[in-house]
């Protein structure tokens, strides 16, 4: 009796119950309430002289159910069941025999008991009934050890090439499981397995291919040879063909970088599979091509064309597979998918909501500026019909589209605010709020409308977390808007109507307005006085504190909510030391260290992540942004650099040592108006040494114009801890100096006694040569986008315009040339113009940035490629706030 229900705790109704008494929505289990003891009692029927086959099948089913539910049998119970079941071999009922095979495998007899059943199984293995033979092989291979397996190896080898597909598949699958512990035995069957690969039975061929690969899985060269032979052979089975496509994709993935324009036989095989008559093989081949590393647009085109045809398939699963693959391609090669947009638009109304969601998100990634409004109308009718998890995917795609086309922020922000007012769960609402917050931060023009939408949202928000998040944002950004007074009503409503947590956040937000907007301060004080009588102590305490600060004349940034720059770990350690020393005098907060000791290998991890970002083809800002801010915060804590003025830019970390060396040094370049500060992050990886007076000597002979102004050494460099040494270089005001810096690490070494752990009193001076550091012109430019490039270009003074043409030499593709120039200039891509259309002969790119001295620069790049020679030419037009900056942009290109 097979279990067809999923709820094992539901009672089994009697057949005499009336239909109207049944709950139609409830499923019932025939195994409800069964107990191990009762089933073991029932198992005694196996010992009766006259066997009732049907009743025995029911008892075995119950035993198997208990085992699958995790019920454990004692050794005695398992032995009794096993010996009882072996007597059922005398019965000729085929269905009962199949159940016997199953229970023998699951009861797991001991090595002594296996011998008892081996003779019966070997008899079945030589039976004329294929069903008996295949099942006997499966059971024998699962319960026998290596020694007994060697005795029946001859029978198993013969079964591999058996004429019966059932028997051959059974032994191949069993061998697949044996590979993990009896690899050498299975390897001796290689000739038979290779013969099975040529079988006319598709399932046998499938299992044989999988087994051959499993035997060579740990040898990359052997796998490559196997795949090469199978590609040239005749694998007719559809399932085997799918496996082969996956193995080919694996070999391509693990192989080294390809030469430009090189495809190879493996790619040719994948391309040939795109023309296979079976959809399963075609989809797998298309996915393999799309997932290839360093895949070019030319290589993608055949796969995308096939997937485009599948979008109109009558089978939902084929449409789903095609649109999901195209969705992934759109993340890395959006222009390659553009030709499929018309077909995908028809899928927005697909009955399968998963297909519709993927179609929408793909269109949002590949659509152009003119199609945004049309897409939003189509999405609006579609959002109410899908689950929250699909809505989140759509929201994230809309956020990416808005960052790609900033000038469309009004339409996209209105759409987000519209769906924000609809019903939905916390994760869905949080995704929308987070998207709006990102748009406010990245697109300055969107701040006013974004804050207005969020104010309306918190009027009827049921989630405390989101309300406090929005209130915090209003406190930070609201006072800096043109009309800060209009936000006070929304914030104070929360003090009256919400729970204590939200009320406390609203009080803090009001205090920010009072500190930053002098005209509103008297009104804010009145509102805070009303909060003094709140029934929650946290709200009362905040209102009392802020009211006292405002009445005392507190104003400006950080007046009511100063930034706490003391790490809690350091404060705790200092307080503990203060208490242990007797607390003879008042505790000095200034004695607490501001830097938190970093974990060993942290600097190495930072450099790796930055390199990973560059290798992945991410923009420089995306690879370094999270880390640059951290280093900038560390620099603010160094008082010697306070007089240098506003920090303009911090570069991404640069590794100056090999990863395996004894000292790990990473450098970050901080650019100020008249100075460049080099922050050397130092990690000692030698456990037997302590370094003192650690500094970096910088040779400026190849960097004219720089002057060394200050060197701040690291006092002590202990094993596993991270410290910082600084070198400040002076520059003429506004100068963009470039050059190569030669660096030498200098320090005093003190050895540590490995037995006592104490360091020597006397040390010796030593030095370590580091890699050279390049200071380039791109270090003086920040990536800052403009919402409307055309308007910004027209507003620039035409007298600062400079244009020139350059030859970029031989390039494999237009995309490569565009990416190279963008990397050299280090400026921000505008309006998604970094993506080049497939097979394009010309392309235009728009860049913007701010150079040192707060000078904005806009660049128009026009590329052209000669089809025969692959030579690329480029025309550059620059407009800037000053003519000097325009000349600097051209100088950067010429020097590159």
């Amino acid at each position: 009796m097979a279990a067809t229900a999923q709820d094992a705790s539901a009672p089994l109704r009697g057949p005499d119950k009336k239909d109207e008494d049944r709950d139609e929505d409830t499923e019932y289990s025939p195994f409800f309430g069964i107990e191990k003891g009762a089933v073991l009692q029932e198992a005694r029927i196996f010992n009766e002289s006259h066997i009732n086959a049907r009743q025995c099948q029911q008892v075995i089913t119950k035993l198997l159910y208990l085992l699958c539910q995790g019920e454990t049998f004692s050794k005695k119970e398992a032995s009794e069941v096993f010996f009882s079941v072996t007597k059922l071999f005398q019965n000729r009922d085929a269905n009962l025999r199949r159940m016997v095979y199953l229970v023998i495998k699951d009861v797991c007899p001991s090595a002594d008991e296996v011998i008892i059943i081996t003779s019966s199984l070997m008899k079945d293995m030589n039976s004329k009934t294929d069903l008996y033979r295949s099942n006997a092989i499966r059971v024998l291979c699962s319960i026998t050890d290596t020694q007994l397996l060697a005795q029946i190896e001859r029978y198993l080898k013969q079964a591999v090439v058996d004429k019966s597909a059932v028997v051959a598949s059974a032994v191949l699958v069993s061998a697949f499981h044996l590979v993990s512990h009896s690899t050498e035995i299975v390897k001796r069957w290689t000739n038979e397995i290779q013969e099975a690969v040529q079988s006319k039975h598709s399932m046998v061929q499938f299992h044989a291919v999988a087994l051959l690969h499993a035997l060579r899985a740990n040898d990359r060269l052997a796998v490559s040879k196997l795949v090469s032979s199978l590609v040239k052979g005749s694998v007719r089975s559809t399932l085997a063909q799918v496996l082969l496509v996956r193995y080919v994709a694996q070999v391509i993935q693990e192989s080294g970088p390809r030469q430009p324009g090189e495809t190879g036989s493996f790619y040719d095989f994948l391309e040939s599979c795109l023309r296979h008559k079976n959809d399963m093989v075609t989809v797998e081949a298309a996915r393999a091509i799309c997932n290839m590393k360093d895949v070019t647009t030319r290589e993608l085109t055949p796969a995308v064309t096939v997937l485009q045809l599948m979008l109109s398939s009558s089978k939902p699963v084929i449409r789903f597979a095609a649109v999901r693959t195209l969705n992934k391609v759109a993340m890395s090669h959006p222009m390659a998918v553009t030709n499929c947009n018309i077909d995908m638009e028809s899928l927005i109304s697909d009955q399968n909501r998963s297909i519709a969601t993927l179609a929408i998100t793909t269109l949002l990634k590949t659509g152009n500026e003119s199609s945004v409004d049309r897409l939003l109308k189509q999405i609006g009718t579609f959002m109410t019909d899908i689950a929250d998890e699909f809505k989140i995917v759509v929201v994230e795609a809309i956020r990416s589209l808005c960052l790609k086309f900033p000038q469309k922020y009004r339409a996209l922000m209105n759409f987000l605010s519209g769906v924000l007012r609809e019903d939905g769960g916390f994760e869905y609402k949080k995704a929308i709020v987070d998207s709006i917050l990102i748009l406010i931060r990245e697109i300055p023009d969107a701040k006013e409308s974004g804050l207005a939408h969020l104010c309306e949202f918190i009027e009827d928000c049921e989630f405390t977390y989101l309300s406090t998040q929005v209130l915090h944002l209003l406190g930070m950004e609201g006072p800096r808007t043109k009309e800060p007074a209009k936000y006070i009503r929304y914030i104070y409503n929360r003090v009256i109507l919400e729970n204590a947590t939200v009320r406390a956040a609203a009080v803090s937000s009001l205090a920010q307005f009072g500190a930053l907007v002098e005209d509103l301060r008297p009104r804010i004080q009145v509102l805070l006085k009303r909060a003094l009588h709140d029934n929650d102590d946290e709200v009362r305490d905040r209102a009392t504190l802020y009211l006292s600060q405002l009445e005392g004349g507190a104003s400006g940034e950080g007046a009511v909510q100063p930034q706490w720059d003391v790490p809690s770990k350091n404060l705790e350690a200092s307080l503990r030391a203060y208490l242990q020393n007797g607390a003879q005098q008042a505790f000095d907060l200034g004695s607490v260290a501001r830097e938190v000791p970093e974990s060993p290998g942290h600097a190495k991890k930072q450099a790796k992540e930055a390199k990973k970002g560059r290798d992945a083809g991410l923009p420089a800002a995306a690879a370094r942004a999270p880390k640059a801010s951290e280093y900038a915060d560390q620099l603010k804590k160094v008082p010697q650099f306070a007089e240098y003025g506003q920090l303009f830019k911090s570069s991404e970390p640069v590794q100056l040592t090999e990863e395996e060396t004894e000292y790990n040094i990473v450098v970050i370049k901080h650019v100020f108006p008249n100075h460049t500060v080099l922050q050397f992050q130092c990690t000692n990886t030698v456990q037997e040494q302590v370094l003192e007076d650690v500094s970096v000597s910088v040779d400026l002979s190849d960097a004219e114009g720089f002057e060394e102004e200050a060197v701040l050494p690291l006092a002590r460099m202990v094993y596993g801890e991270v410290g910082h040494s600084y070198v400040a270089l002076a520059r003429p005001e506004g100068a963009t100096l470039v050059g190569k810096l030669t660096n030498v690490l200098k320090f005093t070494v003190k050895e540590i006694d490995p037995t006592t752990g104490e360091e020597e009193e006397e040390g010796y001076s030593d030095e370590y040569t580091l890699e050279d550091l390049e200071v380039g012109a791109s270090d003086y430019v920040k990536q800052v986008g403009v919402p409307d490039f055309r308007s910004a270009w027209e507003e620039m003074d035409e007298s600062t315009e400079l244009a020139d043409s350059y030859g970029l030499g031989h390039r494999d593709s237009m995309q490569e040339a565009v990416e190279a120039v963008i990397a050299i200039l280090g400026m921000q891509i505008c309006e998604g113009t970094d993506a080049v259309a497939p097979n394009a002969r010309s392309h235009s790119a728009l860049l913007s940035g701010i150079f040192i001295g707060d000078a904005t620069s806009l660049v128009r790049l026009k590329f052209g490629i000669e089809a025969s020679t692959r030579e690329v030419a480029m025309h550059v037009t620059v407009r800037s706030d000053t003519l000097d900056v325009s000349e600097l942009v051209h100088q950067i290109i010429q020097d590159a």
Side-chain angles (χ1 to χ4, degrees), residues 18-35:
K18 295 182 179 179
D19 290 341
E20 55 267 27
D21 293 337
R22 295 175 181 264
D23 186 356
E24 294 181 356
D25 296 331
T26 305
E27 296 182 348
Y28 303 96
S29 170
F31 301 107
F32 174 75
I34 66 172
E35 297 180 355

Side-chain angles (χ1 to χ4, degrees), residues 32 68 171 182 223 235 244 384 452 460 465 483 516 543 549 565 583 670 686 694 728 765 802 805 808 858 883:
F32 174 75
C68 291
V171 72
S182 302
V223 170
V235 177
L244 186 53
T384 55
D460 190 27
Y465 174 84
E483 300 179 34
L516 296 174
Q549 290 174 327
D565 61 347
H670 302 283
V686 181
V694 182
S765 298
L802 286 179
S805 299
L808 303 182
L858 304 178
L883 186 61

Side-chain angles (χ1 to χ4, degrees), residues 103-114:
V103 78
I104 288 175
K105 281 200 302 181
D106 288 346
V107 167
C108 297
S110 63
D112 297 335
E113 296 167 346
V114 167

Side-chain angles (χ1 to χ4, degrees), residues 260-313:
E262 179 186 357
T263 56
S265 59
F266 286 147
Y267 174 80
D268 294 339
F269 170 75
L270 293 178
E271 191 175 9
S272 67
C273 289
L274 294 174
R275 298 182 290 274
H276 198 277
K277 61 182 180 181
N278 189 282
D279 290 332
M280 186 164 53
V281 178
T282 307
V283 169
E284 196 66 37
R287 285 180 63 247
I289 292 175
C290 294
N291 292 334
M292 285 170 54
K293 60 181 180 181
D294 303 327
V295 63
T296 64
T297 305
R298 188 189 68 80
E299 292 168 343
L300 273 177
T301 302
V304 172
T305 303
V306 170
L307 293 171
Q308 183 178 2
L309 295 174
M310 291 182 174
L311 293 176
S312 56
S313 172

